[in-house]
Amino acid sequence: MKMKLTILAAAALALIALFMTFRAGGNWDYILPSRGRKVAAIVLTGAAIAFSTVVFQSITNNRILTPSILGLDSLYMLIQTFGVFALGSANMTFMNKNINFLFSTGAMILFSGVLYRLMFRREGRNLYFLLLAGMILGTLFQSASSFMEVLIDPNEFLVLQGKMFASFNNVSSDLLLVSAAVIVLTGLYFMRFAKYLDVIALGKDEAVNLGVDYAYVVKRLLIVISVLVSVSTALVGPITFLGLLVANLAYQLLKTYKHAYLIPGAMLLGIVALIGGQFLVERVFTFTTTVSVIINFAGGVYFVRLLLKENKSW
């Protein structure tokens, strides 16, 4: 198991080295800071999305679900669309990356907190009420975004279109530091509940029978998931299928139930996928597409494969 993680880590480092040095031409003063910011954003985003997806799939006991079902990606796009629709792309306050990041992250975390409180306020409501509510609200947010998109000026829509897909090209150094601090603090908070994950993955009844305070632990883990997804989405944009892809690849590659191996493995796979995807975008497709399009296409194909595989097992 450790050997597989070592190989994944070596692959990630090799890809990072290739990405940083490929066709550098000796312009290190420009290339190292520019590419370094991209690599830092990729590492933070890949790690956060993979981390949150593995935890989410463990508490839902379902390997074809991702945190996007909670509606956070759709809420992010609603915020961006409403900002352009109501204020216009020329509004410097809204278009300021730092303000936009803080507002978007805060709104997504607040939405998650309110949703969790409403769904778990009554006794007897299980996790699937939350997933159903998140899916319905996500559809509502998406419909509202689509409605505003057809009303705005075509030139404004071009600005908005850039926010529909994840991009690592213009990430602010300040936001990287803030995101890294939030993700590290969230990871430290998660460590209090990490020991319960292997048991929770067995299911609610088994976890309760083994002495886990299931409701308390799951609520805290959902907060961790929301913070990680909110920060990664606000930093670079939505990447819907990345978590599904790398989490299931980690299950297949590592073949273990222990989250001490699954979470690092998925995080390394997320970094490898994003670094490889960004390299293809820049060196093969010459910026004619975005990394999220490549990841979502690969993840969508893999998702269909998972569904067909589950169908056969039934």
Side-chain angles (χ1 to χ4, degrees):
M1 203 69 62
K2 292 181 180 179
M3 180 59 70
K4 291 180 180 179
L5 290 178
T6 302
I7 293 172
L8 283 176
L13 290 174
L15 278 173
I16 289 173
L18 175 65
F19 182 82
M20 292 289 292
T21 58
F22 188 77
R23 293 184 180 175
N27 301 317
W28 300 111
D29 291 341
Y30 169 75
I31 286 174
L32 288 180
S34 175
R35 296 185 183 179
R37 282 193 297 271
K38 291 182 186 179
V39 169
I42 285 170
V43 169
L44 290 175
T45 304
I49 293 176
F51 190 157
S52 59
T53 302
V54 172
V55 175
F56 186 76
Q57 290 182 349
S58 295
I59 64 177
T60 57
N61 202 21
N62 192 316
R63 293 187 179 182
I64 62 173
L65 292 179
T66 67
S68 61
I69 199 173
L70 296 174
L72 294 178
D73 290 356
S74 300
L75 176 59
Y76 170 78
M77 280 312 307
L78 177 63
I79 294 169
Q80 304 307 312
T81 306
F82 180 77
V84 174
F85 177 78
L87 304 175
S89 61
N91 187 288
M92 296 305 296
T93 301
F94 176 75
M95 295 308 293
N96 182 280
K97 291 182 180 178
N98 295 355
I99 294 175
N100 194 314
F101 172 83
L102 293 174
F103 181 79
S104 299
T105 304
M108 286 187 280
I109 294 174
L110 179 62
F111 164 75
S112 301
V114 172
L115 182 62
Y116 297 161
R117 186 157 185 85
L118 290 175
M119 289 298 102
F120 293 122
R121 185 169 56 181
R122 295 183 182 178
E123 292 292 332
R125 285 192 171 178
N126 58 31
L127 192 59
Y128 292 100
F129 278 99
L130 174 66
L131 301 183
L132 180 61
M135 188 166 58
I136 293 171
L137 290 172
T139 303
L140 175 64
F141 297 153
Q142 195 170 15
S143 299
S145 299
S146 299
F147 175 73
M148 286 185 282
E149 285 167 10
V150 300
L151 296 178
I152 63 177
D153 184 86
N155 295 320
E156 301 280 0
F157 180 75
L158 290 176
V159 176
L160 177 63
Q161 194 174 31
K163 297 180 178 295
M164 293 180 178
F165 306 100
S167 173
F168 301 97
N169 295 323
N170 297 305
V171 180
S172 167
S173 299
D174 295 336
L175 295 184
L176 286 174
L177 291 175
V178 172
S179 301
V182 173
I183 290 171
V184 169
L185 291 174
T186 305
L188 293 174
Y189 178 74
F190 164 79
M191 295 306 295
R192 296 176 53 192
F193 309 101
K195 60 186 177 183
Y196 300 116
L197 264 183
D198 292 346
V199 178
I200 286 177
L202 297 174
K204 179 179 179 180
D205 294 337
E206 288 79 1
V208 171
N209 289 335
L210 290 170
V212 176
D213 188 349
Y214 183 84
Y216 177 83
V217 174
V218 166
K219 289 176 185 177
R220 271 61 190 175
L221 291 176
L222 284 170
I223 293 172
V224 169
I225 291 166
S226 297
V227 173
L228 292 175
V229 173
S230 299
V231 170
S232 61
T233 302
L235 181 64
V236 300
I239 313 179
T240 306
F241 285 108
L242 176 65
L244 178 76
L245 181 64
V246 298
N248 281 280
L249 286 175
Y251 298 138
Q252 289 189 359
L253 178 64
L254 300 176
K255 299 186 186 302
T256 180
Y257 66 89
K258 294 183 178 180
H259 289 79
Y261 298 111
L262 285 174
I263 291 176
M267 291 168 68
L268 289 170
L269 284 168
I271 294 168
V272 167
L274 287 180
I275 288 284
Q278 187 66 24
F279 187 83
L280 289 175
V281 167
E282 295 186 10
R283 306 302 168 191
V284 177
F285 297 107
T286 59
F287 293 100
T288 55
T289 186
T290 62
V291 66
S292 60
V293 172
I294 296 174
I295 296 294
N296 287 341
F297 175 76
V301 171
Y302 191 73
F303 179 72
V304 172
R305 178 180 175 275
L306 283 177
L307 289 178
L308 294 175
K309 185 179 177 181
E310 290 293 327
N311 243 1
K312 288 181 182 178
S313 66
W314 290 340

